[in-house]
Amino acid sequence: MSGVELTARLERAGFALDVDLSVAEGEVVAVLGPNGAGKSTLLGILSGLLRPDDGRLRVAGRPLLDTADGTFVPPHRRGIGLLAQEALLFPHLSALANVAFGPRAQGAGRGAAEERARGLLAAVGAAELADRRPAQLSGGQQRRVALARALAPEPGLLLLDEPLAALDVDATPAMRTLLRRVIADAKQTALLVTHDALDALVLADRVVVLDRGRIVEQGPAREVLARPRSPFSARIAGLDLVPGTADGTGLRTADGVELHGHAVEVVTGEAAVAVFPPSAVSVHAERPEGSPRNVFRVRVAALEPRGDTVRVRAAAPASGPDWVDGLAADVTPAAVADLGVEPGHAMWFAVKATEVAVHGMK
């Protein structure tokens, strides 16, 4: 294949990594897992900063590592890009020179390298920053330049190491949307390490869950996060997720259910997901009237005590304009008793439009 093929075994004191991972050309794979699961070790092996005890790595058809025959391509010759939590720009170079650095290191002439750099700065919305040095840029601006720099050498693989973790809350949605667009436009093969379910949903085609150095779960991003099978993926999801198509005022599901919410830089007609916390969902025995604009029919599948609350998990026994599958609501034990909520009962879930965010997704 022309994407990424990795088999790696590595043992260190108290830890062992044992993975077989493939990423198709142009695919974005999100790697999730608790602290100590092996995510950083995996990135270290891919980037060349760590040598496994046993393993093979091919990127874009090129062998970069094979312990059987001694092949080991050093990091600076691997053609792998990195966008880390921190921008890590060269402080003495302008934004333009930072982006042009990769092509220049590959042997491109100054004119060609700067032409590519200007094109990428324009693609990430930073053309006007070309002559500024990093100290003259905000954190969000530095991150845009860092993204352009990571893409400039046309890497066979782009490693995204918690790329949004250091951004403030206001800058994160715009940068997430920018990443999705730029990576899609470049048809870039990428591996994303994140703790954020929304990053995985918006940016990734597929999710891989690591735990104790092994892959314990994988599949399409929406399926893994909507129906998690491992404790960590269930914990990281922690959200109600409704897939569909952006329609300008929110989202419409394949069954015709309309959800109203606030769109986060979403284009009408594109694939999207509506996201809201179970704590924002109220449960009713009869269809509620009044302020909630999103009301769904559900059938209770399970009740899960969670300290001071009870999570009501629901499943839709039928498709149609009212039924929605796979939702959860967090309510008090008193509410469960007052409403007589029990598995198998038909109920109504309601959530205000102000609690629902609609994001474009891959």
Side-chain angles (χ1 to χ4, degrees):
M1 62 182 284
S2 55
V4 178
E5 295 176 278
L6 171 69
T7 300
R9 317 279 184 270
L10 179 145
E11 291 191 17
R12 295 291 184 267
F15 175 78
L17 181 78
D18 187 347
V19 297
D20 288 284
L21 177 68
S22 63
V23 184
E25 183 178 7
E27 184 182 30
V28 180
V29 172
V31 179
L32 309 178
N35 291 334
K39 301 185 300 298
S40 296
T41 302
L42 176 63
L43 289 184
I45 291 172
L46 287 165
S47 65
L49 298 177
L50 289 176
R51 294 194 188 211
D53 302 318
D54 179 51
R56 294 174 62 251
L57 171 63
R58 295 178 69 89
V59 174
R62 179 181 170 219
L64 302 182
L65 163 72
D66 192 334
T67 54
D69 63 15
T71 298
F72 183 83
V73 177
H76 65 284
R77 293 182 179 172
R78 291 199 168 197
I80 292 177
L82 173 66
L83 183 63
Q85 294 183 34
E86 302 297 335
L88 302 176
L89 299 173
F90 299 120
H92 62 292
L93 297 180
S94 67
L96 181 68
N98 263 281
V99 179
F101 179 85
R104 289 282 285 162
Q106 292 178 327
R110 178 184 294 275
E114 290 189 353
E115 181 179 1
R116 176 157 176 77
R118 290 188 188 280
L120 283 168
L121 286 173
V124 301
E128 73 282 3
L129 307 176
D131 296 328
R132 299 187 194 177
R133 292 190 176 184
Q136 299 172 299
L137 304 175
S138 68
Q141 290 172 333
Q142 288 186 26
R143 190 59 52 86
R144 288 172 181 261
V145 175
L147 173 57
R149 185 179 68 175
L151 292 170
E154 299 182 280
L157 173 65
L158 177 64
L159 302 177
L160 302 164
D161 185 9
E162 297 276 7
L164 306 178
L167 291 177
D168 59 52
V169 174
D170 293 334
T172 298
M175 187 63 190
R176 185 184 290 118
T177 301
L178 175 67
L179 270 171
R180 180 169 63 93
R181 177 180 59 77
V182 171
I183 290 174
D185 288 349
K187 297 180 174 58
Q188 178 67 55
T189 306
L191 194 80
L192 164 70
V193 168
T194 181
H195 284 89
D196 193 319
L198 195 53
D199 289 349
L201 274 169
V202 172
L203 298 173
D205 302 292
R206 184 160 54 94
V207 164
V208 169
V209 181
L210 272 183
D211 193 10
R212 299 180 184 179
R214 285 169 171 76
I215 296 174
V216 296
E217 185 175 6
Q218 61 179 310
R222 179 170 60 81
E223 290 182 14
V224 169
L225 294 172
R227 295 176 178 81
R229 299 190 305 275
S230 68
F232 180 79
S233 55
R235 187 164 65 251
I236 195 176
L239 297 168
D240 280 321
L241 315 167
V242 182
T245 303
D247 66 2
T249 60
L251 173 145
R252 180 185 293 271
T253 72
D255 292 325
V257 179
E258 292 187 1
L259 282 82
H260 299 277
H262 59 281
V264 183
E265 299 190 30
V266 182
V267 178
T268 298
E270 75 172 333
V273 62
V275 181
F276 47 94
S279 59
V281 181
S282 58
V283 180
H284 306 264
E286 304 291 338
R287 183 183 179 95
E289 304 295 337
S291 58
R293 295 186 65 188
N294 299 304
V295 180
F296 320 111
R297 283 195 293 172
V298 300
R299 191 169 300 278
V300 177
L303 301 177
E304 302 173 0
R306 291 172 171 253
D308 296 335
T309 63
V310 175
R311 177 155 293 181
V312 181
R313 292 201 177 274
S319 62
D322 288 326
W323 295 101
V324 174
D325 191 20
L327 297 183
D330 289 343
V331 297
T332 65
V336 170
D338 290 345
L339 293 167
V341 180
E342 294 182 10
H345 283 192
M347 307 295 291
W348 293 88
F349 279 6
V351 59
K352 294 181 179 179
T354 53
E355 300 284 351
V356 178
V358 178
H359 299 265
M361 63 181 292
K362 290 181 67 73

